[in-house]
Amino acid sequence: ISGLNNHVSQRVEALFGKVAPEELAVEEVCDRVALHREIKLVPQPNVHLPELYYYCGRTYEAIGELENAAELYDVVRTDYPEHDLSSEATEGLARVEISLAGNATPIPPPLGSGTAPIGTSVYIVHNDSPEQMKIILSGPETIIKEIAECSICTRLTSDPGECPNKGPIERITLKPGEYDVVVKSVSDDGVTPYRGNWTFQSGIEYADCYYILTTTEP
């Protein structure tokens, strides 16, 4: 058996030496190496794995297996942030997350809360929910931010009327323009994501507060 494994490893290593990563990223290879992490088959993994993960993400995206695509794009951007393909993986993840959100509950644009330097917009996010959340912004630039949960917050039984201001705050500076937006819970799959199309204007600061009601989505 060990002799057979060595033979397989040698064949795979030879393929990586002759074939471009995007050509290797066929579904069968992606299923075995990328999804099931059989990385011992990959020579020079620090060099070849991020490329294989990215191109396998593209393969899965093309055939409509969006959750697999999202998983692999996220591996590239989080595990290999300095890699040349990291920014493209971030853009790919944003595309897939927006598609996966589908007919999610529409979310209105945030209200202006102040001023920002001309040529930029600022989006201030208060997470007053007990769940870790993710903000995806896709427009003139692509931004994905994860915001920690509020450790002292609970699900509310009624609308508080104003932001509780108990949880983490994320300040996002971005290029002005029109963005597709997804807001989702990372730590609870049962929370329905929100989706919107917002326009951020130059020189304006915006703010939003997120919390969870026991009878509705956040």
Side-chain angles (χ1 to χ4, degrees):
I1 295 176
S2 60
L4 178 60
N5 286 339
N6 288 337
H7 179 65
V8 171
S9 298
Q10 290 169 2
R11 286 190 61 191
V12 172
E13 185 170 359
L15 280 175
F16 271 96
K18 297 177 181 178
V19 182
E22 56 265 42
E23 296 177 20
L24 273 175
V26 295
E27 190 174 356
E28 293 79 7
V29 172
C30 295
D31 286 347
R32 183 170 181 183
V33 178
L35 285 186
H36 294 102
R37 301 292 195 268
E38 294 189 23
I39 60 176
K40 291 182 179 179
L41 295 176
V42 180
Q44 297 179 285
N46 288 336
V47 175
H48 295 302
L49 275 180
E51 295 177 343
L52 184 63
Y53 288 152
Y54 171 75
Y55 288 112
C56 281
R58 282 185 28 175
T59 295
Y60 285 128
E61 185 179 2
I63 64 177
E65 295 189 14
L66 300 185
E67 291 183 355
N68 288 343
E71 178 182 341
L72 296 181
Y73 285 145
D74 198 43
V75 169
V76 177
R77 64 180 293 271
T78 56
D79 290 0
Y80 305 93
E82 303 302 319
H83 196 276
D84 291 343
L85 291 172
S86 180
S87 61
E88 293 182 52
T90 298
E91 292 173 2
L93 179 59
R95 280 195 313 272
V96 169
E97 291 276 22
I98 290 167
S99 294
L100 284 170
N103 297 321
T105 304
I107 185 171
L111 298 175
S113 60
T115 59
I118 297 299
T120 68
S121 301
V122 173
Y123 181 36
I124 299 176
V125 181
H126 298 250
N127 185 13
D128 281 294
S129 80
E131 307 296 340
Q132 183 181 0
M133 63 182 293
K134 179 184 287 184
I135 305 282
I136 297 109
L137 299 155
S138 179
E141 61 181 317
T142 302
I143 297 173
I144 299 176
K145 292 286 187 179
E146 291 192 7
I147 306 172
E149 71 278 1
C150 173
S151 60
I152 60 173
C153 295
T154 60
R155 296 189 177 216
L156 306 177
T157 56
S158 62
D159 194 320
E162 60 182 20
C163 187
N165 285 319
K166 295 179 179 179
I169 299 173
E170 181 76 29
R171 182 183 178 89
I172 303 171
T173 300
L174 64 160
K175 296 177 182 178
E178 184 177 341
Y179 286 81
D180 286 317
V181 182
V182 171
V183 180
K184 61 180 293 187
S185 168
V186 175
S187 52
D188 185 351
D189 291 338
V191 177
T192 304
Y194 274 76
R195 182 175 175 178
N197 183 265
W198 302 346
T199 298
F200 291 94
Q201 297 182 11
S202 173
I204 304 295
E205 175 190 277
Y206 301 83
D208 255 337
C209 180
Y210 294 95
Y211 48 85
I212 296 179
L213 299 179
T214 56
T215 54
T216 61
E217 286 76 27

